[in-house]
Amino acid sequence: MAKTKTQNKFWFKLDNAGKVFPGQNTSRWSNIFRSTLVMEEKIDPAVLEQAVKDVLPRFPCFDVCIKSGFFWFYLEKNPHDAPPVCEDINNPCYRVKFNENNRFLFRVFYRENHIAVEFFHALTDGAGATTFLCTLAAQYLRLCGHEIGVGGNVLNINEPAPESELTDPFYDYEGKHGRSGRSTRKVYHYRGTPLPPHTVGIITGIMPTDVVLKKAKEYGATATEYLSAVLLYCFYEQQKKETRRENDLSVQIPVSLRKPFNRKTLRNFTLTYSIRIDPSLGEYTLEEFIRQIMLNLRLVNNTKNLQAMVASNLKLEKGAMRYLPLFIKNLGINISFRLTGEHSTTVLFSNVGKLNIPPEMESHVQRLDFLAGPGKINGVRVGCGSIKNVLTVSFLDICKETEIERRFFTTLVKAGIPVKIVSNR
Amino acid sequence: MSYCVNCGVELDASAKKCVLCDTPVYNPKQQNEDAPTPYSDRVVLPPKVRRRFSAFLFSVILLLPNIVCLLIDLLVSKENGLYWAHFVNTASLMLWILFVLPFLFQKARTFVLILVDSLAILGYVYFFYHLFATREWFWSMALPLVVVLGVFACVTVEVFERKKPDWPVQAAVICFQIAVYAAVCAVALYLYFGTPLSLAIPVVIGACSLPVGGFFIYVKNSRRMRAWLSRRFFV
C-alpha cells in the first residue's frame, strides 16, 4: 500500500476542536465516548486483534499517542503495533490516562457478540469513530471468511488514507467570516445520588427506525429534532416537580460539518448547537417543545452560522493566548471548563445518524449503540445511532436515579413506538 | 419476551426487574435464568492517583529551604548556636503535618487527621511559649482554645459527612458553633486577664451568630421562605 505524504507524517497538530480536551482531562474524568456494534455471531478475540492490526494503518490519525509540546499538545506516531483488545467491562468510558493502553487514545473491547471502541475526543468525533468501528467489523468478518465489500462507513483498507481524511478543515475558515458569541447563562441541571467514581449507569432503548421517523414526520420534524425535544420535555417535567428556582432548559446537539462543507475528514469536525427554552414564559406541551426545537435548530443550522461559529473557535486558538506555555493554557482551560463548561447545558443529545454499510454486511450486524461519555455536572448524556432499521437511544448516567430515562421511554411508548430496554444496571 | 407492566417497555431476557421503575419481572412462560446479560459484570476501576509520590515530592520541596536556612544560621552565628532557623523549621513542620501528611494515607480517617493537626498546632504554639513564656498563657488560653476548636471540627465532620444535612442546617450548625466558640474564648480570656471587659467581643459575636443560626433553622422548616430566598438571591 503506497503511503501519501500526509500518511507518512510522524506527527499531527491537534485539530481546533480537539485542542481543549487534553486540558480538561483529569484523574477522575475524561471526554470520551463509545460506539458498539452488536453482531450476529460470537466474537473471537484473536481474530479481532488481527483485524485491529490490519485496519490501523488505514487510519494514521488514530495510530498515534499524545505528547506535550511547549505551547500545545500534539499527536505523534505510536511506536506500538495496536492497542490491546480487552474483554468488555461494566463501567465503560472511564478516564483516559495518556501512558496506558499502549499509549493509544482509543480502546477496543469485545464481549459475546459485541465489538466496542472508546475514543478520547481529542482524536476524533462520533462520525470518525463509527467509520473506524464499521471498517474494523468489516475486516473482522473478512477474517472470519465472509465476503465483505467496501462503501458507506466501511473504508477500503488496501488504499492509503487520502489527504482529505487527515487534514483539519477548521483552518480553511480562519478569519474569513463573521464571529458568533455563545451563551454562558446557567440552566437547569438534574441532580441525583451520584454513583461511585468511574462507574456509570447505562440504559439503551432499541426501537424501529421507520416508526420513529414516521412519528417525527407527523410533527414535521426529523428524528433528532423529535427525540431531543422529547428528552428536553422530560427535564421540563422533572423541573416542575422540584421546588428549586425555575431555570432555562437547554439541549446541546452536536452537528457534523462534513455534509454542509462537503468534507471527508476523520478528525474532529463537529460543532454544537444549544437550543434553549424558557419555562418561565408559561406552560408548554410536548408539541410546543418539538416545534420550538425544530424551528430553532433550522434557524441556526446553515453554513453562514456554522462558518461564524468555526471562526469564533479559531479566534480563541489563534489569538495572543497561543503564546502562553502549555501548563498555563491547561490551567486556564480547566478553570474555564469548571466555571462555564456544562453550566449552560441541561443535557447533551448526540446523534451519529444512520450508518451505511455494504449490503453483504447487513446480515451480520444487529444494531449500533452510541454512548456519549459521562458528564461532569450533567447527570445524563444521551447518544443515538441507527443501522439498518434499528435505532438506539443510550442514556449514560452518573446518578443512581432513572427518572429521566423512565419518562423518556414511557413517552415514546405512549406515542406508539415499541421500545426494548437493555441496561448494565 | 417480557414487558414491564408499569412502563410498557420490552425487557431483556435476562432482566429480573425493569431498570426504569424497579417493577419485578415475572413471566411464567419464559423463565430464562441462563440468558446472557447485555453488559459484562466486570467492573474495572482505574488505579488511584499516586498520592504518596506527590507527598514525597512536596516534602522534598519543603525540606530544601529548611536545610539551607539551617546551614546559613549555623554558619553566620557560629558562637551562639541556632539563632533564627528553628522558627522556619517549626513552621515548616507544622505546615507539613497540616497539608502534606494526609496525602501519605490512601484513605485517611478524618478524626485522626483532626487530632494530629490539633497536636501540631499545639506543639507549634508551645514552642513559642517555651521560648518567650512570661505568664502561663499556654495552659489557661491556648490549650483550651485549640482543644475546643478540634472538638468543633470533629462535630462538623460528623454532622456534615454522616447525616448529610440540607444547606440551611449546615449554615445553622456553623453559626451556633461560632457562638459557642466565642463563649469559650470569653471564659478563657476572663480566666487569663480577669477583667470583665474581655467579655465584650465574644458577646457581640454570639449576639450576631445566634439569631442568624436561628434564621437558618427557620429557613429549613419553611418552604415559602426558601422559595423567597431563591427568588431574591439567585445569581
Side-chain angles (χ1 to χ4, degrees), chain B residues 7-228:
Chain B
C7 306
V9 293
E10 186 189 335
L11 300 167
D12 189 57
S14 64
K16 302 274 186 295
K17 58 172 187 173
C18 171
V19 286
L20 301 176
C21 64
D22 277 351
T23 306
V25 177
Y26 177 67
N27 185 346
K29 287 189 177 173
Q30 187 192 341
Q31 289 183 323
N32 202 347
E33 295 286 324
D34 303 324
T37 53
Y39 281 88
S40 165
D41 295 328
R42 198 168 70 100
V43 176
V44 174
L45 295 177
K48 289 186 175 166
V49 182
R50 292 167 66 195
R51 290 159 62 97
R52 286 189 183 173
F53 178 73
S54 314
F56 172 75
L57 205 70
F58 280 116
S59 305
V60 170
I61 292 168
L62 202 61
L63 194 65
L64 285 173
N66 276 282
I67 293 172
V68 171
C69 288
L70 205 67
L71 289 174
I72 293 171
D73 199 15
L74 277 172
L75 290 173
V76 173
S77 49
K78 280 177 192 167
E79 290 165 10
N80 302 327
L82 289 176
Y83 186 61
W84 53 268
H86 40 263
F87 293 109
V88 181
N89 296 153
T90 46
S92 300
L93 183 65
M94 188 186 67
L95 290 174
W96 185 85
I97 292 173
L98 289 182
F99 298 111
V100 182
L101 189 69
F103 290 96
L104 287 177
F105 306 102
Q106 274 300 346
K107 201 176 180 183
R109 289 185 67 86
T110 321
F111 295 116
V112 176
L113 284 179
I114 291 172
L115 179 71
V116 173
D117 288 353
S118 304
L119 288 175
I121 294 167
L122 275 177
Y124 184 63
V125 176
Y126 185 80
F127 170 72
F128 284 93
Y129 170 72
H130 181 70
L131 282 182
F132 309 111
T134 49
R135 294 169 67 184
E136 292 292 308
W137 59 266
F138 178 80
W139 303 106
S140 58
M141 237 176 39
L143 184 65
L145 290 182
V146 174
V147 169
V148 172
L149 198 65
V151 171
F152 279 9
C154 290
V155 171
T156 313
V157 168
E158 176 70 20
V159 173
F160 286 14
E161 278 193 359
R162 303 229 172 139
K163 297 186 176 169
K164 293 191 172 36
D166 222 351
W167 68 266
V169 181
Q170 290 185 5
V173 167
I174 289 170
C175 288
F176 292 144
Q177 281 188 346
I178 290 170
V180 176
Y181 195 67
V184 173
C185 288
V187 173
L189 288 170
Y190 182 70
L191 286 176
Y192 185 67
F193 291 111
T195 55
L197 259 180
S198 51
L199 290 174
I201 296 172
V203 166
V204 171
I205 295 172
C208 294
S209 54
L210 277 175
V212 175
F215 171 72
F216 281 121
I217 293 291
Y218 171 66
V219 169
K220 188 221 165 217
N221 296 322
S222 164
R223 273 183 72 176
R224 255 184 85 188
M225 177 58 83
R226 289 181 75 158
W228 181 83

Side-chain angles (χ1 to χ4, degrees), chain A residues 84-351:
Chain A
V85 173
C86 306
E87 203 187 328
D88 204 2
I89 53 174
N90 188 271
N91 56 324
C93 298
Y94 68 84
R95 65 103 181 95
V96 171
K97 209 171 171 190
F98 299 147
N99 58 2
E100 287 176 354
N101 193 45
N102 285 353
R103 300 190 73 91
F104 281 94
L105 298 174
F106 68 95
R107 307 183 188 121
V108 183
F109 293 99
Y110 74 93
R111 179 176 183 269
E112 299 282 341
N113 55 344
H114 294 53
I115 302 175
V117 286
E118 285 179 6
F119 271 84
F120 185 47
H121 217 323
L123 214 54
T124 185
D125 53 18
T130 42
T131 302
F132 177 80
L133 179 64
C134 287
T135 312
L136 175 65
Q139 177 62 11
Y140 172 82
L141 290 170
R142 281 185 209 115
L143 292 176
C144 289
H146 302 287
E147 285 283 328
I148 307 289
V150 293
N153 286 79
V154 176
L155 302 181
N156 186 355
I157 60 166
N158 296 317
E159 279 177 0
E163 301 275 333
S164 58
E165 283 180 9
L166 307 174
T167 48
D168 177 5
F170 278 114
Y171 293 110
D172 296 347
Y173 304 95
E174 187 189 347
K176 284 182 187 170
H177 313 281
R179 284 165 186 159
S180 110
R182 59 182 70 207
S183 165
T184 53
R185 232 175 98 188
K186 287 185 181 174
V187 296
Y188 169 74
H189 292 282
Y190 173 62
R191 287 181 199 156
T193 319
L195 289 165
H198 306 296
T199 57
V200 287
I202 301 164
I203 297 180
T204 300
I206 306 161
M207 50 202 98
T209 311
D210 54 354
V211 180
V212 178
L213 285 173
K214 195 179 158 200
K215 192 75 206 167
K217 265 192 185 156
E218 282 177 21
Y219 297 99
T222 62
T224 305
E225 288 159 359
Y226 173 68
L227 292 171
S228 57
V230 172
L231 179 65
L232 201 62
Y233 191 72
C234 298
F235 282 91
Y236 167 69
E237 287 196 317
Q238 178 65 27
Q239 183 175 226
K240 274 205 300 191
K241 244 179 67 181
E242 295 175 8
T243 52
R244 285 190 275 157
R245 193 177 68 87
E246 246 184 13
N247 274 316
D248 287 6
L249 295 144
S250 148
V251 58
Q252 193 177 41
I253 303 171
V255 178
S256 174
L257 305 178
R258 289 171 183 82
K259 215 173 176 182
F261 292 113
N262 195 21
R263 301 284 175 155
K264 286 184 177 174
T265 183
L266 288 172
R267 306 178 71 188
N268 281 301
F269 198 40
T270 307
L271 285 176
T272 55
Y273 288 131
S274 282
I275 309 293
R276 196 177 271 265
I277 286 179
D278 185 355
S280 66
L281 298 179
E283 291 279 319
Y284 283 88
T285 60
L286 178 60
E287 288 71 29
E288 285 170 329
F289 256 68
I290 296 169
R291 197 167 164 74
Q292 282 255 10
I293 287 182
M294 187 177 79
L295 295 177
N296 271 303
L297 201 59
R298 288 177 191 187
L299 184 70
V300 287
N301 193 3
N302 59 68
T303 46
K304 298 281 180 299
N305 241 321
L306 291 169
Q307 279 171 359
M309 287 168 82
V310 170
S312 159
N313 287 350
L314 281 166
K315 186 192 160 198
L316 272 175
E317 185 196 327
K318 294 286 177 186
M321 279 198 301
R322 66 199 289 196
Y323 300 109
L324 290 173
L326 183 64
F327 72 96
I328 296 178
K329 280 195 197 101
N330 283 344
L331 197 71
I333 289 170
N334 212 314
I335 291 170
S336 124
F337 183 63
R338 275 165 198 266
L339 293 178
T340 60
E342 288 177 14
H343 288 276
S344 54
T345 309
T346 302
V347 63
L348 172 106
F349 182 83
S350 180
N351 185 2

